[in-house]
Amino acid sequence: MDKPFVYIQDLNLGYRNKAVLKDLYWEMNIGENYAIGGKSGTGKTSLAKSIAGLVSYQGSIEINFDQLRELPQEVLYVESWYQFKNLEGVANFYYQQRYTSLQANDTLTVHAELVSYGKEKDLQFDQVEPILEALGFATFASSQLIELSSGEHKKLQLVKALWLKPQLLIIDQPYTGLDTASRKNLNILLDQVAEEGVQLILISNDSELPNSIHSFVEIREGKLVEADTLENSTTEIHLREIPEFLKASPLYSSQDIVKMVDVNISYGEKQVLKNINWEIKAGEKWLLQGHNGSGKSTLLSLINGDHPQSYANELYLFGNRRGSGESIWDIKQHIGLISPEFHWYFDTTATVWQSIASGFYDTVGLFQQLPYTKSTQVDELIAYFGLTESKNELLTALPLGKQRLVLLARTIIKNPELLILDEPCQGLDQQQTKHFNQLVDELSSNGMTLIYVGHFESQLPTCIEKRILLEKGGVKVVESLNTEILS
């Protein structure tokens, strides 16, 4: 009798005296492709990293590679977020560094990264080109790694994985940061490599999976349980009463929040934004959309004060023209921000309480003592988000869903005039996404201005009333939205 391709027995794994996987047993046979779903924090990523040999565990995991296949006898794990390094092997970049020209000789280009990977794995470069085209990534060859958005970094890791074609490919949240077209093309590519003998384990609650995925499991109470599908069921969510200090309208310094007049941004010969004209008034709720690489992240970096080329353009923020004497910190006082990239660079030593409190000072960690009033507001917000039991834990120790709630709390702690939520629900399941967006609706009901970046209308707050759509760096659509379309 043939041995299972993956054989797991008595797998136990825990963090900080908390058991995550408990005497887990699993057999994955030759030719099977699995999706692992379920709630955030149940241990899906821990199981994947255990199979890939990336974490310590107790128990037995046996991978029985097919010695007759030409495919590499490897387990490749593609993590939900990828943290790249510069040429000196350092990963701790600071957030604004993405938009400066100083990193030009400090990180590889996409092309150089792929050339290096191809040499390391003995791959033919002509075989990667169709993958780049299918995922809409061929135009990023000259881009620095530090310039890429979260969705673009995800594509780069997927490109390398599909190029390598290991015997076992594990992808954690394969669709994170990808637009609709890229998701569809990724599923086609995954079906193709599955036909060639690559076995897949996808960690995802997405309903639109590759056709090659026929088996479904979830982790419940530390053990693996077979499931018919990965259909998500959402239950009614009852929100707590919003803290009093957030019920008042933000103190607007101007009714003109953002005004862009023929804004252009270029990196050398590559033009990222082209003749952008956009106005945002106080209290408006905007949806910002566009394919990966359309310029969304760069547009937001102008508003958030992070992009140095803002001085070379006619850009007004909170009633003042950019470059009229205000500092980046003057601008950030008006803004609360969540983005995948900001989450990347956040202080890994900060507790939940410190992370939320840092929002008062727009820092990526808490570096000063809070006065009593502000400390009380942090405690009130922690209670509102249901995080009281976790307030002294490290932010990074929490499941992704709770980390996002912490960062949402951080963004609104100072009741900002403008709330920028850049794909805040990446990697969250349907229940978490629904909860997050209900919180956004509640918190922004005091008249706060909102810019929300999201690809899918079914996963948006109901408060959104206007939309701007970018395409290849230009404005394709600006329109008012019927709220019924978004519900």
Side-chain angles (χ1 to χ4, degrees):
M1 182 176 179
D2 292 334
K3 292 182 178 180
F5 180 48
V6 178
Y7 180 72
I8 302 175
Q9 189 171 21
D10 298 327
L11 177 61
N12 287 273
L13 186 148
Y15 297 103
R16 296 175 180 84
N17 299 319
K18 180 181 179 182
V20 177
L21 305 177
K22 307 171 188 176
D23 298 322
L24 185 143
Y25 174 86
W26 189 29
E27 289 187 10
M28 178 181 180
N29 296 311
I30 296 291
E32 292 181 334
N33 297 301
Y34 272 86
I36 305 177
K39 295 180 179 179
S40 175
T42 55
K44 302 186 295 294
T45 295
S46 296
L47 175 59
K49 288 185 174 181
S50 298
I51 296 172
L54 299 176
V55 294
S56 299
Y57 57 84
Q58 293 179 324
S60 173
I61 299 179
E62 185 178 303
I63 312 294
N64 296 299
F65 294 109
D66 188 337
Q67 306 297 323
L68 300 178
R69 286 193 212 171
E70 294 184 0
L71 299 179
Q73 296 178 32
E74 289 188 36
V75 179
L76 178 62
Y77 170 70
V78 179
E79 55 192 319
S80 57
W81 285 1
Y82 173 72
Q83 181 65 69
F84 67 94
K85 294 179 173 63
N86 67 5
L87 297 179
E88 297 178 352
V90 177
N92 59 334
F93 297 93
Y94 59 90
Y95 181 64
Q96 290 82 11
Q97 194 173 347
R98 295 183 63 223
Y99 306 108
T100 71
S101 58
L102 300 178
Q103 83 283 350
N105 296 317
D106 201 30
T107 62
L108 292 175
T109 63
V110 168
H111 178 77
E113 173 78 1
L114 291 173
V115 168
S116 174
Y117 187 76
K119 288 181 179 178
E120 176 190 348
K121 299 295 185 180
D122 195 25
L123 301 172
Q124 300 300 312
F125 201 84
D126 59 349
Q127 294 178 355
V128 77
E129 292 170 352
I131 304 172
L132 292 169
E133 289 290 342
L135 290 179
F137 206 58
T139 58
F140 287 87
S142 61
S143 297
Q144 299 284 328
L145 297 185
I146 197 173
E147 296 171 351
L148 302 181
S149 68
S150 62
E152 291 154 5
H153 268 293
K154 188 73 174 190
K155 282 187 178 181
L156 179 56
Q157 306 319 307
L158 292 169
V159 166
K160 291 195 289 187
L162 293 164
W163 187 17
L164 178 65
K165 299 177 193 172
Q167 289 199 21
L168 179 56
L169 175 56
I170 307 173
I171 309 179
D172 198 343
Q173 305 299 338
Y175 310 106
T176 293
L178 302 188
D179 56 46
T180 303
S182 297
R183 289 181 173 215
K184 291 180 179 177
N185 287 338
L186 174 60
N187 282 344
I188 293 171
L189 291 169
L190 289 172
D191 282 335
Q192 289 175 354
V193 296
E195 282 285 327
E196 297 177 53
V198 174
Q199 292 194 230
L200 304 172
I201 298 176
L202 305 184
I203 300 175
S204 176
N205 286 300
D206 202 282
S207 58
E208 297 180 9
L209 294 166
N211 294 328
S212 52
I213 299 292
H214 296 294
S215 302
F216 308 92
V217 290
E218 295 181 355
I219 299 176
R220 299 176 190 168
E221 298 181 354
K223 292 181 170 57
L224 217 55
V225 179
E226 297 285 338
D228 293 331
T229 66
L230 293 183
E231 292 181 1
N232 280 288
S233 59
T234 57
T235 57
E236 190 65 28
I237 300 168
H238 299 285
L239 301 180
R240 297 172 175 85
E241 184 176 357
I242 193 170
E244 286 295 328
F245 73 95
L246 289 177
K247 291 181 179 179
S249 175
L251 297 175
Y252 282 108
S253 53
S254 171
Q255 290 300 301
D256 299 312
I257 303 300
V258 176
K259 183 178 179 181
M260 297 183 179
V261 181
D262 293 330
V263 167
N264 291 273
I265 297 293
S266 297
Y267 302 120
E269 296 181 357
K270 181 180 179 181
Q271 191 166 9
V272 180
L273 294 179
K274 307 172 186 176
N275 300 319
I276 301 294
N277 291 279
W278 188 22
E279 289 189 41
I280 302 175
K281 298 294 185 181
E284 291 182 341
K285 311 291 191 292
W286 281 85
L287 172 63
L288 170 60
Q289 290 187 312
H291 293 306
N292 298 131
S294 61
K296 301 187 299 297
S297 295
T298 303
L299 187 67
L300 292 180
S301 71
L302 291 170
I303 297 172
N304 196 42
D306 289 321
H307 206 297
Q309 291 189 41
S310 60
Y311 298 105
N313 283 278
E314 189 174 350
L315 169 64
Y316 302 85
L317 300 176
F318 308 100
N320 298 310
R321 179 159 182 170
R322 191 75 170 96
S324 58
E326 79 291 347
S327 71
I328 185 175
W329 304 111
D330 293 329
I331 294 171
K332 289 182 181 296
Q333 286 178 2
H334 303 275
I335 298 172
L337 167 74
I338 291 179
S339 74
E341 295 80 15
F342 183 79
H343 199 163
W344 279 350
Y345 300 118
F346 202 79
D347 184 4
T348 57
T349 67
T351 65
V352 168
W353 198 95
Q354 292 168 338
S355 299
I356 295 173
S358 71
F360 283 119
Y361 307 108
D362 303 301
T363 55
V364 292
L366 185 62
F367 307 108
Q368 55 187 293
Q369 189 76 25
L370 255 63
Y372 175 77
T373 301
K374 284 184 167 60
S375 295
T376 301
Q377 290 176 343
V378 174
D379 289 334
E380 290 177 6
L381 205 49
I382 283 176
Y384 173 70
F385 280 95
L387 296 166
T388 302
E389 293 183 358
S390 305
K391 72 176 186 178
N392 294 320
E393 293 186 41
L394 290 177
L395 174 66
T396 53
L398 269 57
L400 179 60
K402 285 192 174 181
Q403 288 189 39
R404 292 291 167 78
L405 292 182
V406 171
L407 292 181
L408 177 59
R410 180 192 179 276
T411 66
I412 56 91
I413 187 70
K414 61 185 179 183
N415 200 9
E417 297 163 58
L418 175 61
L419 187 62
I420 301 176
L421 304 181
D422 184 359
E423 298 195 51
C425 296
Q426 277 191 11
L428 304 189
D429 59 36
Q430 289 187 16
Q431 180 77 1
Q432 291 170 323
T433 298
K434 180 180 178 181
H435 182 209
F436 187 97
N437 287 330
Q438 284 186 351
L439 289 168
V440 172
D441 282 329
E442 179 76 9
L443 292 166
S444 62
S445 64
N446 64 352
M448 192 180 296
T449 309
L450 174 67
I451 301 175
Y452 193 106
V453 181
H455 290 298
F456 305 100
E457 276 73 6
S458 61
Q459 299 177 359
L460 300 173
T462 59
C463 65
I464 291 175
E465 56 194 13
K466 296 188 176 185
R467 180 174 78 128
I468 180 170
L469 174 65
L470 300 186
E471 184 175 276
K472 296 180 179 178
V475 176
K476 183 178 182 181
V477 175
V478 175
E479 62 183 351
S480 296
L481 291 175
N482 183 341
T483 54
E484 292 182 358
I485 296 176
L486 301 177
S487 60

